[in-house]
Amino acid sequence: MLKNASVKMFFPRSLASTNGLRLFQRSIGSVNVLQTLRNRGLLAQVSEPESLLEQKLLNGDKIGLYCGADPTAKSLHLGNLLPLMVLLHFYIAGHDVYTVVGGATGQVGDPSGRSTERVALENSERLSNISKIQLQLRSFFERGLEYYNYKHKETSAKIGRAIHTNNNNWWSDMKMLDFLAMYGRHIRVNTMLSRDSVSSRLDGKDGIGFNEFTYQILQAYDFYHLNKTCDVTVQVGGNDQWGNITAGIDLIGRIGTKSKKEDHAFGLTVPLLTTSTGEKFGKSAGNAVFIDPQITTPFEMYQYFMRTTDEDVGKLLRTFTLLSNDFIEETIHSGSQNPKERSAQKLLAREVVDLVHGVGRGQDAETISEVLYGTRKLELRASDILRTFQDAGILIRCDRGLPLDQIIVHATGCSKSAARRKLKQGSIYIGPERTKVLEYSVDLESFYIDDRVLILRTGKQTCYVIEIN
Ligand SMILES: Nc1ncnc2c1ncn2[C@@H]1O[C@H](COP(=O)(O)OP(=O)(O)OP(=O)(O)O)[C@@H](O)[C@H]1O
Ligand SMILES: N[C@@H](Cc1ccc(O)cc1)C(=O)O
């Protein structure tokens, strides 16, 4: 949580509002979604025959796609959103998307991309993670659609269906003997051994546990099950999931389904979002930005994107928003005339917060940023400031009539003598105009915004918003 907004400085200026069709990704309909994804840098690998999938899309065929997430944490993070963005593009183009929370697979542990075995979670923790992640998956598509509709006012898009499920639904009644008898012969151990997630562990001194070794079979069967029961033909995941996804394609290919023998299953992977040092951005690397507002507040997410470098901002705008590539290019080009404004970063931060936390939350985060950083003359009303700071959990309350030294003590937690020292040293500024004050006995009334809000700055870096009751 943000602790009363101790801040790093950046100085964005407001960018003109981005509503309107011109700015936005068009409804895709029979347009080739694969090409859209490629243009946005959202495709790492597509399984063959790629041209067949492309043709289906161009024919206007409706397809079913899925992506899974294991309940290994309380919350999804930004890295997990990449494959979900791919599903969102298909969803708004009229295709059906399925999400699978790994109630069953989460008990086993995916070895993909890891050099050590996962630590098993307590049942209670896993169950709690499952319900939180299910809610997040549902809300991602609801908010994604809301975000899309808000911007794309001209036509009602041809939306598909978003269906959310848990692989425990089909694994809980599965008997081991039945599974081995029915599917064991279709699964080749030599292929399993050759997958990166397994082969990379075979030479290490700890090897790999049987649980993690069999993980690919579970995910392969999930794909087979969804293919058979819901007509899902495409699985989407991060590029580290390629082995598990192709295991599913192999299984579907070997067993086939009577009704649609000619039907192929496909895999699409997204490039892994990495840190500047090339590490996968996620839970295991401990560098995740979570989408649960209790863990990473919308304002912290906004700040995270505001810190994007000029080199990365275009890529992230294409990845994490539905704004059209033309509009993104235009923004970056006009932003480069005045780099201090960081207008592309500001657009990115506002759009992603809107998409993840709901339309309007990006503007709220921008409001907080303007108050905290005093980037321009403050024209906000007290009610807007109070609501946004209250929602962000960083509003401080004080009784009317308290002298300034006591307000400083209350806001910062320092001692009364330290507060008076700060005043004497000239490091206290108050009010929207950042007026330097040296005396604790100063009359505060004239510095209040709408007679209810006091902005207090201690030094250049830290700002507090105080509601005067
Ligand atoms: N940094 C990332 N970039 C792109 N996709 C990612 C990233 N991190 C996770 N994913 C994808 O999100 C989906 C769900 O992943 P999962 O729930 O296992 O999270 P994870 O962060 O990969 O977990 P862990 O770090 O514990 O391995 C998978 O398809 C995975 O490839
Ligand atoms: N193995 C995936 C999660 C997943 C689970 C079940 C599936 O059917 C698909 C994907 C991961 O760890 O990222």
Side-chain angles (χ1 to χ4, degrees):
M1 281 285 285
L2 192 74
K3 290 279 176 292
N4 292 335
S6 168
V7 293
K8 289 207 179 79
M9 305 291 269
F10 40 77
F11 298 92
R13 270 192 66 79
S14 174
L15 192 104
S17 121
T18 55
N19 52 4
L21 184 64
R22 184 180 67 86
L23 317 177
F24 217 62
Q25 179 65 51
R26 291 189 68 83
S27 170
I28 302 162
S30 63
V31 172
N32 184 351
V33 188
L34 278 186
Q35 193 52 44
T36 307
L37 298 174
R38 238 178 251 121
N39 293 343
R40 303 188 78 95
L42 271 168
L43 280 190
Q45 298 190 73
V46 183
S47 65
E48 292 298 341
E50 184 176 340
S51 54
L52 184 60
L53 179 58
E54 205 138 16
Q55 196 51 55
K56 276 166 172 280
L57 294 168
L58 287 171
N59 292 346
D61 291 359
K62 186 176 182 127
I63 57 170
L65 307 96
Y66 103 94
C67 172
D70 277 343
T72 46
K74 285 187 182 66
S75 170
L76 298 174
H77 56 79
L78 291 180
N80 299 139
L81 295 194
L82 265 76
L84 295 180
M85 285 304 295
V86 170
L87 289 194
L88 185 61
H89 278 280
F90 277 98
Y91 176 50
I92 58 178
H95 302 284
D96 291 341
V97 295
Y98 293 75
T99 67
V100 171
V101 66
T105 39
Q107 296 180 49
V108 174
D110 186 353
S112 307
R114 290 180 62 103
S115 52
T116 54
E117 189 159 313
R118 286 175 190 271
V119 179
L121 294 183
E122 291 291 335
N123 266 350
S124 57
E125 190 178 353
R126 203 183 54 256
L127 291 174
S128 149
N129 291 351
I130 289 172
S131 42
K132 288 182 174 145
I133 287 172
Q134 265 179 326
L135 273 178
Q136 291 185 334
L137 289 167
R138 184 177 297 278
S139 111
F140 177 79
F141 287 95
E142 285 169 2
R143 294 202 173 134
L145 186 56
E146 181 197 21
Y147 165 78
Y148 177 79
N149 286 337
Y150 175 71
K151 300 282 175 146
H152 194 267
K153 286 175 183 133
E154 194 185 65
T155 51
S156 66
K158 200 175 91 191
I159 305 301
R161 291 180 305 157
I163 296 144
H164 309 284
T165 182
N166 179 339
N167 58 16
N168 211 32
N169 294 349
W170 50 89
W171 279 107
S172 59
D173 290 335
M174 179 74 84
K175 295 202 172 65
M176 189 171 83
L177 273 180
D178 291 346
F179 183 81
L180 291 177
M182 286 175 70
Y183 304 105
R185 76 187 69 249
H186 300 295
I187 298 162
R188 311 317 293 170
V189 170
N190 43 342
T191 319
M192 288 176 71
L193 286 168
S194 69
R195 296 205 197 282
D196 281 353
S197 57
V198 174
S199 63
S200 62
R201 297 273 288 278
L202 289 181
D203 295 336
K205 77 173 170 24
D206 295 327
I208 182 168
F210 187 64
N211 55 337
E212 293 201 344
F213 174 59
T214 58
Y215 186 95
Q216 52 181 289
I217 301 178
L218 304 189
Q219 189 163 332
Y221 180 80
D222 284 354
F223 195 3
Y224 168 74
H225 174 85
L226 290 169
N227 177 265
K228 195 174 61 166
T229 57
C230 310
D231 252 341
V232 168
T233 50
V234 179
Q235 185 179 169
V236 180
N239 210 21
D240 57 344
Q241 294 296 307
W242 183 250
N244 293 339
I245 294 175
T246 51
I249 298 173
D250 286 354
L251 185 65
I252 294 168
R254 279 170 185 275
I255 303 176
T257 37
K258 264 195 206 135
S259 57
K260 36 187 164 48
K261 254 192 196 131
E262 75 293 352
D263 240 12
H264 275 271
F266 299 91
L268 301 184
T269 61
V270 297
L272 288 183
L273 183 68
T274 53
T275 63
S276 51
T277 55
E279 248 185 329
K280 177 183 160 194
F281 195 72
K283 294 167 293 200
S284 297
N287 52 13
V289 172
F290 290 96
I291 66 166
D292 180 341
Q294 306 293 331
I295 306 177
T296 305
T297 66
F299 177 63
E300 286 170 312
M301 183 181 280
Y302 181 92
Q303 275 191 301
Y304 171 80
F305 282 107
M306 281 301 296
R307 291 195 288 269
T308 306
T309 61
D310 289 342
E311 293 74 59
D312 285 343
V313 73
K315 183 179 92 182
L316 294 188
L317 274 164
R318 285 187 290 277
T319 305
F320 282 115
T321 77
L322 297 176
L323 297 167
S324 71
N325 280 2
D326 284 350
F327 181 69
I328 293 171
E329 290 315 313
E330 216 176 275
T331 305
I332 292 175
H333 177 72
S334 58
S336 65
Q337 322 288 321
N338 194 353
K340 274 200 181 139
E341 303 267 314
R342 297 181 74 69
S343 48
Q345 280 83 352
K346 195 170 185 183
L347 175 68
L348 170 68
R350 202 174 49 216
E351 294 287 315
V352 186
V353 173
D354 266 356
L355 169 67
V356 174
H357 293 293
V359 171
R361 294 288 155 186
Q363 184 55 56
D364 286 351
E366 191 171 301
T367 301
I368 295 178
S369 162
E370 283 176 0
V371 173
L372 292 182
Y373 303 118
T375 47
R376 57 179 164 155
K377 191 170 178 312
L378 205 57
E379 283 156 5
L380 294 163
R381 299 160 59 102
S383 53
D384 292 331
I385 298 175
L386 291 175
R387 183 185 57 75
T388 46
F389 279 75
Q390 161 85 42
D391 286 354
I394 50 176
L395 182 66
I396 297 169
R397 293 192 171 85
C398 270
D399 289 337
R400 193 172 288 270
L402 273 189
L404 185 56
D405 56 346
Q406 284 191 41
I407 294 181
I408 297 170
V409 169
H410 183 68
T412 67
C414 73
S415 68
K416 200 163 168 179
S417 53
R420 290 192 180 180
R421 210 174 318 121
K422 285 181 208 284
L423 279 158
K424 270 216 176 88
Q425 286 164 350
S427 62
I428 299 292
Y429 305 80
I430 58 173
E433 311 287 340
R434 295 170 174 243
T435 311
K436 187 190 279 190
V437 278
L438 301 165
E439 292 295 331
Y440 67 88
S441 55
V442 62
D443 177 14
L444 293 174
E445 298 278 326
S446 58
F447 295 99
Y448 294 159
I449 299 171
D450 297 341
D451 196 37
R452 288 160 69 197
V453 172
L454 179 67
I455 303 206
L456 165 71
R457 288 190 160 77
T458 60
K460 294 237 164 10
Q461 295 291 320
T462 317
C463 175
Y464 303 89
V465 172
I466 299 159
E467 180 179 22
I468 304 294
N469 292 308

